[in-house]
């Protein structure tokens, strides 16, 4: 679930570069970072260690307003918030799906009998 949420944040980050005119100086690095997060998260759906690329990209987004001198407080806040969310979500490992077969009527009937086997 964390991978999907990070993909949503990456799409948001990409779209805000298109919409906010105040991001003129930060738009190109923001597009590249958003693209890196998108690719890393798609790969991380199958190969979990790829999520650390997203973690590094999120950490960069947190410090980018200071390093690049974003022209707008709104752009800096957007970068900081997206970077924080991406870093936190990327630090979570993928959870493996588990499946346990639900009890059937036949198993319940034979559960209390010592040697009985369920007939299939």
């Amino acid at each position: 679930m964390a991978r999907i949420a990070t993909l949503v944040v990456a799409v948001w980050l990409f779209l805000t570069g298109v919409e906010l005119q105040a991001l003129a100086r930060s738009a190109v690095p923001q597009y590249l970072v958003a693209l890196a997060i998108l690719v890393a998260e798609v790969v991380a759906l199958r190969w979990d260690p790829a999520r650390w690329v997203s973690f590094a990209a999120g950490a960069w987004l947190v410090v980018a307003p200071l390093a690049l001198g974003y022209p707008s407080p709104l752009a800096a806040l957007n970068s900081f918030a997206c970077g924080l969310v991406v870093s936190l979500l990327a630090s979570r490992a993928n959870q493996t799906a588990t499946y346990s077969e639900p009890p059937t009527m036949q198993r319940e009937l034979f559960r209390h009998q010592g040697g009985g086997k369920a007939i299939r």
Side-chain angles (χ1 to χ4, degrees):
M1 188 68 179
R3 305 288 73 85
I4 303 301
T6 307
L7 283 170
V8 170
V9 173
V11 169
W12 166 260
L13 190 62
F14 197 85
L15 292 177
T16 56
V18 173
E19 290 297 319
L20 297 176
Q21 296 300 324
L23 294 174
R25 182 185 297 172
S26 60
V28 173
Q30 185 172 326
Y31 290 141
L32 295 176
V33 171
L35 185 61
I37 292 170
L38 283 169
V39 169
E41 288 300 319
V42 168
V43 171
L45 288 170
R46 292 283 184 189
W47 188 58
D48 191 49
R51 67 190 164 93
W52 293 109
V53 173
S54 293
F55 181 83
W60 166 250
L61 285 172
V62 169
V63 298
L66 298 173
L68 298 178
Y70 281 19
S72 162
L74 180 61
L77 179 64
N78 185 53
S79 177
F80 181 79
C82 288
L84 193 62
V85 169
V86 166
S87 293
L88 289 175
L89 289 173
S91 65
R92 295 180 48 107
N94 283 343
Q95 296 174 350
T96 56
T98 58
Y99 173 76
S100 60
E101 191 172 332
T104 61
M105 179 68 89
Q106 197 173 25
R107 282 197 188 134
E108 289 299 315
L109 289 174
F110 288 105
R111 183 175 60 163
H112 298 294
Q113 297 178 359
K117 290 179 100 177
I119 301 171
R120 290 201 173 210

